[in-house]
């Protein structure tokens, strides 16, 4: 039983470059979430998918951010023209919607982005 | 909008001390409530959950009761261990599912 995996685990980039992160959810989970966590804060919601449909995007998500889940399995989060303020831990989580209605999300280890 | 407020840390306790970490929430409707834990160098793990008023979630000696009248979900443990040192996050999810809204986290340090 594999959990949620994220790649890369660490990314250092220069301001203005584009970066892409990948998330592989737990295989039978139909929902996939992206969050951002900065030091000393709780995770902040960015966006989520149910299967391949993107159902909600946070107002925090600027036009430089885009996420996809093309076949309803893995997802990618791309940040274009990175800024120093984008430095954070990017977390992915997945869940299975069921009759209980409880949204129990399982988190990956995160990708730490540092923008120089 | 929905929000979660946790007591500020860090909290430092001696081993076997009683732990309370306060969490209050603001939400429309009837959210599900969660405590997540983040051990040093590891990802977020679900610790316990409660889905309706007066439900008590429990796991690994930790407990929290969903109190709708006080909009609270305080985390408690009767006797902490050094291995409980971590950051604890309270969170809510709206009943239709979707995003989790987290508090800012409370760092717990347990000394031998």
């Amino acid at each position: 039983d594999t959990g949620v995996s994220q790649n890369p685990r660490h990314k250092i980039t220069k301001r203005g470059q584009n970066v892409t992160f990948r998330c592989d959810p737990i295989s039978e989970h139909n929902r996939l979430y992206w969050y951002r966590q900065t030091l000393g804060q709780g995770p902040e919601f960015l966006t989520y998918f149910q299967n391949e449909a993107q159902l909600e995007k946070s107002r925090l998500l600027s036009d430089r951010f885009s996420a996809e889940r093309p076949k309803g399995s893995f997802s990618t989060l791309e940040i274009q023209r990175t800024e120093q303020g984008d430095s954070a831990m990017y977390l992915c989580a997945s869940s299975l919607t069921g009759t209980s209605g409880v949204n129990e999300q399982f988190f990956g280890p995160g990708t730490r982005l540092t923008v120089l | 909008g929905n929000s979660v407020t946790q007591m500020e840390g860090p909290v430092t306790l001696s081993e076997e001390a009683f732990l309370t970490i306060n969490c209050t929430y603001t939400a429309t409707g009837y959210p599900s409530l969660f405590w997540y834990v983040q051990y040093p160098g590891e990802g977020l793990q679900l610790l316990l959950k409660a889905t309706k008023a007066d439900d008590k979630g429990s796991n690994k000696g930790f407990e929290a009761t969903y109190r709708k009248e006080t909009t609270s979900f305080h985390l408690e443990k009767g006797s902490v261990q050094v291995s409980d040192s971590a950051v604890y996050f309270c969170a809510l999810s709206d009943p239709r599912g979707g995003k989790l809204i987290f508090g800012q986290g409370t760092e717990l340090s347990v000394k031998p």
Side-chain angles (χ1 to χ4, degrees):
Chain A
D1 176 30
T2 57
V4 178
S5 62
Q6 293 186 245
N7 287 288
R9 294 291 306 276
H10 303 273
K11 179 70 176 179
I12 300 173
T13 191
K14 293 182 179 179
R15 186 163 48 104
Q17 297 295 302
N18 298 345
V19 295
T20 300
F21 310 141
R22 176 177 169 128
C23 172
D24 288 88
I26 294 171
S27 59
E28 66 270 23
H29 284 185
N30 58 345
R31 285 191 173 179
L32 186 149
Y33 306 80
W34 287 99
Y35 295 85
R36 179 171 62 191
Q37 185 178 20
T38 54
L39 198 62
Q41 300 297 316
E44 293 177 304
F45 169 78
L46 293 178
T47 188
Y48 89 97
F49 295 84
Q50 178 157 312
N51 300 313
E52 64 274 10
Q54 190 172 19
L55 295 189
E56 185 176 353
K57 290 172 60 172
S58 167
R59 281 169 282 182
L60 293 175
L61 212 61
S62 79
D63 292 344
R64 297 184 297 105
F65 287 70
S66 62
E68 294 183 338
R69 195 183 184 200
K71 298 181 180 179
S73 57
F74 73 91
S75 175
T76 58
L77 177 69
E78 181 183 17
I79 309 174
Q80 296 183 327
R81 304 181 303 281
T82 52
E83 302 173 356
Q84 288 184 324
D86 297 331
S87 295
M89 179 74 85
Y90 289 84
L91 300 173
C92 177
S94 69
S95 70
L96 178 64
T97 54
T99 55
S100 72
V102 179
N103 183 25
E104 184 172 333
Q105 296 182 23
F106 296 82
F107 282 80
T111 295
R112 181 168 296 284
L113 173 66
T114 302
V115 181
L116 302 177
Chain B
N2 298 344
S3 65
V4 175
T5 301
Q6 289 181 235
M7 66 185 285
E8 290 189 14
V11 174
T12 303
L13 296 174
S14 298
E15 207 165 21
E16 299 184 3
F18 185 85
L19 168 71
T20 300
I21 300 178
N22 290 339
C23 171
T24 57
Y25 68 90
T26 302
T28 54
Y30 301 93
S32 297
L33 300 175
F34 305 86
W35 278 100
Y36 279 82
V37 59
Q38 191 168 36
Y39 297 103
E42 298 186 16
L44 279 167
Q45 300 174 27
L46 178 65
L47 181 59
L48 54 83
K49 64 189 179 203
T51 60
K52 60 183 187 296
D54 301 325
D55 264 2
K56 178 183 283 188
S58 61
N59 186 26
K60 300 181 181 180
F62 290 89
E63 293 182 339
T65 301
Y66 190 144
R67 301 287 189 199
K68 188 161 179 61
E69 65 277 9
T70 55
T71 61
S72 65
F73 193 54
H74 304 321
L75 183 68
E76 296 181 335
K77 186 175 186 182
S79 176
V80 293
Q81 306 300 311
V82 172
S83 57
D84 294 326
S85 298
V87 181
Y88 293 81
F89 294 93
C90 185
L92 68 81
S93 171
D94 80 42
R96 298 163 299 173
K99 64 190 176 199
L100 290 174
I101 295 171
F102 286 86
Q104 76 271 31
T106 303
E107 183 180 358
L108 170 67
S109 177
V110 181
K111 306 297 185 188

